[in-house]
Amino acid sequence: KGAVRNLAALAAQTKRQADAVDGEMKQLRRQADATAQMVRPAQESAAAAIRGVALQNRNFRTDIRPRLGLGDGPQVFDRVGFLPDGRFAWNYVLENYGRSNARKITVKQWIKIGDESLKLVGIADTPDLPPTQRMLGTGIYRGTLNRELIDRLLHSRSGAAILKLDLSYQDELGDHF
């Protein structure tokens, strides 16, 4: 009978300890839930801040990038004509309208005369071009052309002579344009 009493007392003590542990577990769960609720706004705020910084970075990169184009004014195509050796040439002016250096600039020069298809006549790799600076370039058609035909096409209103430039370059961060 004493052993049964001891077992009954031990079982009652074990149940009290189990109930105490269960109460502690419930308290820990409530604390974990409360912590999760407190952390959630901070996580959402951090995610919004990360999105904001990414947007600012993208806007900054767009704002400071170089922007190459043909310079304005009469000097853009001011010298179109024949070289002494009979080749046809034209000058153009590139200008960096952006806010940072244009690097690794490549200019593909094209020409279309009369009914011919557009022909690539040159590829020029040029030096870096700082902001607000201009650079003179020259395209040269190495084929044989009739001087009278070119003069007639250049002075006609039909636009039968087309000079085209394709520009590719990088910014200081290595982005390609």
Side-chain angles (χ1 to χ4, degrees):
K1 287 185 181 183
V4 172
R5 246 185 313 202
N6 286 341
L7 281 176
L10 185 59
Q13 182 181 0
T14 303
K15 182 172 180 342
R16 284 191 302 272
Q17 288 174 345
D19 289 344
V21 168
D22 186 49
E24 288 176 19
M25 290 300 294
K26 287 178 184 176
Q27 179 65 24
L28 288 174
R29 280 190 208 107
R30 281 191 299 272
Q31 288 175 348
D33 290 344
T35 301
Q37 287 177 358
M38 289 186 324
V39 168
R40 193 169 300 122
Q43 289 173 328
E44 291 170 359
S45 177
I50 289 169
R51 286 190 305 273
V53 168
L55 178 63
Q56 285 178 337
N57 183 38
R58 188 171 54 248
N59 290 342
F60 173 75
R61 290 178 82 142
T62 299
D63 187 44
I64 67 161
R65 69 166 275 226
R67 298 177 193 288
L68 290 187
L70 286 177
D72 56 356
Q75 74 281 3
V76 174
F77 288 110
D78 65 345
R79 295 198 176 174
V80 177
F82 286 92
L83 299 174
D85 63 3
R87 295 178 299 163
F88 181 72
W90 68 95
N91 289 340
Y92 55 87
V93 175
L94 292 181
E95 185 169 350
N96 184 350
Y97 296 98
R99 296 176 60 189
S100 64
N101 288 336
R103 303 179 62 242
K104 298 182 181 179
I105 304 167
T106 299
V107 181
K108 291 183 180 177
Q109 304 154 346
W110 302 79
I111 190 169
K112 179 183 184 315
I113 304 292
D115 294 331
E116 293 180 0
S117 61
L118 201 60
K119 293 181 184 175
L120 178 64
V121 296
I123 299 176
D125 292 322
T126 67
D128 292 356
L129 188 58
T132 71
Q133 298 298 306
R134 293 177 175 211
M135 176 185 334
L136 179 66
T138 302
I140 299 175
Y141 179 63
R142 290 168 176 78
T144 56
L145 299 173
N146 178 314
R147 196 180 292 254
E148 290 77 29
L149 171 65
I150 297 301
D151 287 340
R152 184 170 45 85
L153 293 173
L154 288 175
H155 294 95
S156 74
R157 292 180 181 236
S158 66
I162 297 173
L163 308 174
K164 176 184 172 191
L165 302 175
D166 287 332
L167 306 173
S168 64
Y169 54 96
Q170 292 182 14
D171 65 7
E172 295 286 346
L173 301 172
D175 289 337
H176 295 266
F177 304 97

